[in-house]
Amino acid sequence: MHSLTIECTQDEKDELLGRLWELDTAGVTEEDLTANRVSLRAFFNEVFEASEFAAFDPVWQEEPNVDWQAESEAAWPGRPVGERLFVAPPWCEEPTPPGRERLVINPGIAFGTGADTTTQLALEVLERTVQPGDRVFDFGTGSGILALAALRLGAAQVHGCDIDHDAVVAARADMPSEIGLFTGTLRSIQPQWADVIFANINAETVSHNAEEMKRVLKPGGRLIVGGIPPRHADRVIKALGAQEWTLRERVDRDIWVCMAWEDK
Ligand SMILES: C[S@@+](CC[C@H](N)C(=O)[O-])C[C@H]1O[C@@H](n2cnc3c(N)ncnc32)[C@H](O)[C@@H]1O
């Protein structure tokens, strides 16, 4: 790979950029030199005769070949979460540490790669909450990461929904067939279906859906809510307390709160 660097004024820039793209550049970076002068660096596979840019101080340089796929894959290492889980992208070759369940998640368009604090908090609380044989509903499933964790920790049935159809399509492609994901809301679920509901969404959606979650949760069931900034925690506590649930655990980290509740 080679780069051609030229310098121009802001007024000359657009025309030069158009010409560089016509010449089939692989990409162009821009750097402001002064308020009115800019440096353009265009990348090409081969060096060519650049006399048409003679007025712009052209300089060719050889560039190291970068394997962009390897670079972006290296940015997603496998990561242990909580005591029992290990989140890894499909290309990760690192073995699962002993005593942990591997969650293979493709960091794509859906929220929930395992790198975000809010997802990590939910996973940590989840591994203390889900019991073998549970029926679990993942409200706001995103990538499906919490649903997958529930399955790996022994849940008997796992369903989830999201209002973002693209997220659901992407998650479905990667999840094991035992997990049923659909585009929609909690309303499609029959009363008292779930032993456990996850709602790692936001304070407003959690508070607004408190009654709906009460309808879907079995008596004695458990609920995990997250995606809640500390300043909104009281509002959520009030809304869930009104359903006569008991706060069993609260974890605060960075700018997020995650809570586990019990119908007791
Ligand atoms: C913070 S992400 C969490 C994703 C994943 N569960 C996790 O823990 O990493 C919240 C997800 O909830 C979805 N969502 C927001 N409001 C919703 C609603 N009313 N019903 C269903 N899904 C909703 C969003 O589209 C988003 O994918």
Side-chain angles (χ1 to χ4, degrees), residues 6-10 12-13 16 36-40 56:
I6 53 180
E7 289 186 21
C8 61
T9 64
Q10 291 288 356
E12 294 162 335
K13 186 180 86 175
L16 286 170
N36 189 37
R37 280 200 75 73
V38 61
S39 165
L40 303 178
F56 304 100

Side-chain angles (χ1 to χ4, degrees), residues 191-232:
Q192 300 187 2
W193 182 86
D195 296 293
V196 185
I197 296 176
F198 309 145
N200 191 34
I201 306 182
N202 57 51
E204 192 187 336
T205 307
V206 167
S207 306
H208 184 73
N209 282 278
E211 275 182 40
E212 196 54 15
M213 293 193 287
K214 178 81 172 182
R215 184 186 69 77
V216 171
L217 200 64
K218 282 185 193 168
R222 287 144 277 148
L223 173 72
I224 296 174
V225 297
I228 300 162
R231 68 181 185 286
H232 292 151

Side-chain angles (χ1 to χ4, degrees), residues 50-74:
S51 57
E52 68 178 289
F53 300 108
F56 304 100
D57 301 328
V59 178
W60 279 108
Q61 261 183 320
E62 187 154 350
E63 297 287 339
N65 278 327
V66 177
D67 182 341
W68 294 112
Q69 184 168 346
E71 292 266 311
S72 72
E73 289 185 359

Side-chain angles (χ1 to χ4, degrees), residues 20-260:
L20 290 167
W21 286 111
E22 273 172 15
L23 290 167
D24 212 15
T25 177
V28 187
T29 61
E30 297 180 26
E31 187 190 349
D32 287 335
L33 301 173
T34 64
N36 189 37
R37 280 200 75 73
V38 61
S39 165
L40 303 178
R41 189 156 159 230
F43 295 84
F44 293 93
N45 287 328
E46 303 293 340
V47 174
F48 58 85
E49 212 282 302
S51 57
E52 68 178 289
F53 300 108
F56 304 100
D57 301 328
V59 178
W60 279 108
Q61 261 183 320
E62 187 154 350
E63 297 287 339
N65 278 327
V66 177
D67 182 341
W68 294 112
Q69 184 168 346
E71 292 266 311
S72 72
E73 289 185 359
W76 294 100
R79 68 184 83 232
V81 178
E83 304 286 322
R84 299 163 63 190
L85 302 169
F86 181 71
V87 183
W91 54 81
C92 175
E93 288 176 2
E94 197 181 332
T96 309
R100 290 182 181 269
E101 295 293 333
R102 192 178 193 91
L103 308 181
V104 178
I105 295 292
N106 205 341
I109 55 169
F111 190 102
T113 59
D116 302 276
T117 302
T118 175
T119 306
Q120 290 178 3
L121 279 180
L123 288 168
E124 288 173 31
V125 173
L126 178 163
E127 64 179 22
R128 294 190 281 274
T129 302
V130 171
Q131 286 163 16
D134 276 343
R135 271 184 177 179
V136 173
F137 191 78
D138 185 13
F139 178 31
T141 194
S143 66
I145 187 169
L146 304 184
L148 182 60
L151 187 74
R152 294 286 178 258
L153 294 175
Q157 287 186 59
V158 185
H159 291 302
C161 71
D162 203 292
I163 47 169
D164 179 344
H165 181 63
D166 292 342
V168 171
V169 170
R172 266 209 211 120
D174 293 333
M175 287 292 114
S177 59
E178 300 98 300
I179 297 177
L181 301 181
F182 63 90
T183 306
T185 71
L186 264 185
R187 261 191 250 166
S188 313
I189 303 300
Q190 67 194 57
Q192 300 187 2
W193 182 86
D195 296 293
V196 185
I197 296 176
F198 309 145
N200 191 34
I201 306 182
N202 57 51
E204 192 187 336
T205 307
V206 167
S207 306
H208 184 73
N209 282 278
E211 275 182 40
E212 196 54 15
M213 293 193 287
K214 178 81 172 182
R215 184 186 69 77
V216 171
L217 200 64
K218 282 185 193 168
R222 287 144 277 148
L223 173 72
I224 296 174
V225 297
I228 300 162
R231 68 181 185 286
H232 292 151
D234 285 350
R235 173 169 152 210
V236 173
I237 289 171
K238 195 168 161 209
L240 301 186
Q243 302 304 322
E244 299 185 346
W245 287 325
T246 307
L247 180 58
R248 206 166 44 84
E249 182 180 359
R250 169 177 170 156
V251 188
D252 290 56
R253 188 174 308 150
D254 301 340
I255 52 161
W256 300 112
V257 180
C258 185
M259 296 181 241

